[in-house]
């Protein structure tokens, strides 16, 4: 499942709730492996985020009530999707 809508708005919301800096300091290979074992957490989190339809205020509100693991997974997924977008953009 992919994040729908404006990735930049979601990144900004994640930054606003303080979820970006901790993820930058993590061992990404470990978090990525953990995410693979817990796909249900990421899937549920992405569904919740997609239900916000890009509404930045609603995104921030939902993020404030998420547990740390869900926030970490979401921040990693945003980074991954940004990277994939850049790769596709550079191929054309």
């Amino acid at each position: 499942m992919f994040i729908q809508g404006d990735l930049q708005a979601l990144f900004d919301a994640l930054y606003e709730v303080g979820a970006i800096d901790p993820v930058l300091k993590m061992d990404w290979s470990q978090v990525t492996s953990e995410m693979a074992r817990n796909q249900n957490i990421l899937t549920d989190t992405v569904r919740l985020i997609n239900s916000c339809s890009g509404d930045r205020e609603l995104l921030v509100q939902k993020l404030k009530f998420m547990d740390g693991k869900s926030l970490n997974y979401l921040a990693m997924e945003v980074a991954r999707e940004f990277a994939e977008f850049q790769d596709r953009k550079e191929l054309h």
Side-chain angles (χ1 to χ4, degrees):
M1 172 174 282
F2 291 102
I3 297 169
Q4 298 171 354
D6 185 354
L7 284 176
Q8 186 63 53
L10 179 54
F11 177 88
D12 292 344
L14 285 162
Y15 185 81
E16 185 174 325
V17 300
I20 298 299
D21 286 337
V23 170
L24 293 175
K25 297 173 185 170
M26 292 179 174
D27 178 351
W28 285 27
S29 60
Q30 181 182 359
V31 176
T32 301
S33 296
E34 191 179 303
M35 283 172 59
R37 291 188 306 270
N38 296 297
Q39 278 294 312
N40 59 322
I41 294 172
L42 181 59
T43 300
D44 292 345
T45 302
V46 170
R47 268 195 197 110
L48 179 66
I49 292 305
N50 286 347
S51 74
C52 294
S53 300
D55 180 331
R56 192 170 179 280
E57 289 181 31
L58 186 56
L59 284 169
V60 170
Q61 181 182 10
K62 298 290 184 185
L63 293 174
K64 285 182 179 179
F65 290 101
M66 277 187 195
D67 64 278
K69 187 173 283 197
S70 296
L71 283 173
N72 292 343
Y73 289 2
L74 184 59
M76 292 289 294
E77 183 63 15
V78 168
R80 187 185 67 74
E81 289 192 26
F82 262 134
E84 286 180 0
F85 174 77
Q86 288 301 323
D87 284 347
R88 285 192 307 266
K89 190 174 166 183
E90 291 175 8
L91 289 175
H92 296 289

